[in-house]
Amino acid sequence: MSSVDLIAIAIDWLDAYRAGDLLIVDCYADDASLQCDCGGKKELRCTHAIAAYWHQRFVETRAGDLIDLQWDGSDVVLHFRASDEILQAVLTFNPDGSLRRSRCALFNNQVAATGTENP
């Protein structure tokens, strides 16, 4: 059993995103990948490419309120607001607590996210 608190690391990741803090890159393993399907598909590998992505992302959109967080083994799934949209991020961790992969996309299920249906 691991003593690494993946939920706390996921919250730290989101807090860094909210703050526009490049310390978010420290969450990633050296060989990590980042997949973003927000506004066009992108898949990046290596710390330098991930840092460049986050630098641009902070300029374009910052994260807002956390809506939901779920833990499933080595994955933590977060739903949160960013601008006027709801995003889903799936964070996959290595046993040491470093991010092996992050995947984000627009979350289309407005009923689950807000409790109301869009007409």
Side-chain angles (χ1 to χ4, degrees):
M1 182 174 202
S2 175
S3 63
V4 177
D5 187 346
L6 300 182
I7 298 292
I9 297 168
I11 294 297
D12 289 345
W13 178 91
L14 183 61
D15 287 344
Y17 184 5
R18 285 180 180 145
D21 190 338
L22 279 175
L23 287 175
I24 195 169
V25 178
D26 292 343
C27 294
Y28 290 85
D30 291 339
D31 60 348
S33 68
L34 181 152
Q35 179 180 339
C36 179
D37 294 341
C38 307
K41 289 189 174 207
K42 302 172 221 26
E43 183 152 0
L44 308 166
R45 297 187 182 277
C46 89
T47 305
H48 179 73
I50 291 171
Y53 165 86
W54 280 112
H55 186 270
Q56 184 62 35
R57 188 73 178 165
F58 295 150
V59 170
E60 295 172 357
T61 306
R62 293 254 180 102
D65 295 334
L66 177 66
I67 295 169
D68 187 36
L69 183 143
Q70 298 176 10
W71 175 64
D72 182 20
S74 64
D75 289 350
V76 175
V77 180
L78 303 117
H79 293 95
F80 56 91
R81 296 191 190 284
S83 299
D84 292 332
E85 301 171 320
I86 296 173
L87 301 182
Q88 175 180 326
V90 179
L91 307 178
T92 302
F93 292 92
N94 289 316
D96 68 358
S98 63
L99 267 171
R100 178 173 10 125
R101 182 175 188 196
S102 66
R103 293 163 286 180
C104 66
L106 293 176
F107 185 64
N108 294 322
N109 189 344
Q110 297 294 316
V111 175
T114 64
T116 60
E117 239 179 281
N118 289 340

